[in-house]
Amino acid sequence: DATGEVRTQHLMDVRFVPLETSFERLPEATALVTAYDREVGVLNLTWAKEHGAECPAPAPGKPSFVGTEVCRACHAQVFPQWQASRHAHAYDSLVEQGKNNHLDCVGCHLTGWKEPGGVCRLDAVEGRTAVGCEACHGPGSSHVSLPIKTTIVRPTAATACVGCHDRENSPHFDLEKYLP
């Protein structure tokens, strides 16, 4: 002001409150959010069909994605456990919620999203619609070519899980409980 005094404006403290499953669901609000989610999905899918680009190929000497079915050929003993898991049906959960075309959701529900040799288009997710082997172990072509332990990524539990299972998306995730 004219006296040179600096005045401070007191702002309200603003904080985000996570919407957890314990909150009451209001039918009107649920319908509004569902309609919004579907509209965003339609817009994103339309954009992908008109402007989407393929992911770049892996750099020379780097492995490429082969798909979960290729892994099954040698690792059939673990497939029943994986198929019964929520990871095998992760994309289905997005479809049920109408969020399968949300750019901020698909990355954790697909294999190879936005990665070299992966999938970068919402209209080209066929064959990647699960959290498959390569979602945690990385692209598998090197391992397919030379099936030894040193040709497949063995991520540490924390890096493999918490990239998607963070506080915002999995508020009740307990690494020690779910890892086994």
Side-chain angles (χ1 to χ4, degrees):
D1 69 9
T3 65
E5 184 180 322
V6 176
R7 295 178 188 252
T8 59
Q9 181 180 5
H10 294 283
L11 300 175
M12 289 185 351
D13 287 334
V14 177
R15 65 185 173 95
F16 289 101
V17 177
L19 296 178
E20 296 197 16
T21 56
S22 61
F23 287 177
E24 178 185 1
R25 291 191 179 261
L26 302 174
E28 305 84 22
T30 300
L32 190 64
V33 170
T34 299
Y36 170 79
D37 285 340
R38 295 201 190 285
E39 186 174 333
V40 166
V42 167
L43 292 171
N44 285 343
L45 186 59
T46 301
W47 190 94
K49 289 178 179 177
E50 294 174 3
H51 308 288
E54 300 298 327
C55 287
K62 295 291 183 180
S64 60
F65 288 93
V66 296
T68 301
E69 287 304 313
V70 173
C71 302
R72 180 194 305 254
C74 295
H75 302 283
Q77 73 281 4
V78 298
F79 262 75
Q81 180 181 351
W82 174 77
Q83 285 178 313
S85 76
R86 294 173 81 178
H87 285 137
H89 306 284
Y91 187 78
D92 298 337
S93 69
L94 288 182
V95 172
E96 290 169 9
Q97 296 176 30
K99 293 186 176 190
N100 54 305
N101 292 316
H102 280 230
L103 299 174
D104 55 350
C105 296
V106 295
C108 288
H109 293 256
L110 296 172
T111 298
W113 179 248
K114 298 288 184 185
E115 294 184 36
V119 61
C120 287
R121 299 177 60 125
L122 288 173
D123 60 332
V125 299
E126 193 63 39
R128 306 292 176 100
T129 57
V131 177
C133 307
E134 294 168 297
C136 297
H137 294 286
S141 65
S142 296
H143 186 65
V144 170
S145 297
L146 183 60
I148 59 175
K149 289 182 179 183
T150 58
T151 58
I152 193 71
V153 174
R154 296 201 177 265
T156 62
T159 60
C161 302
V162 298
C164 290
H165 292 283
D166 57 17
R167 183 167 183 220
E168 180 181 347
N169 296 301
S170 293
H172 305 293
F173 181 75
D174 178 349
L175 183 64
E176 299 305 317
K177 176 182 173 186
Y178 289 105
L179 192 57

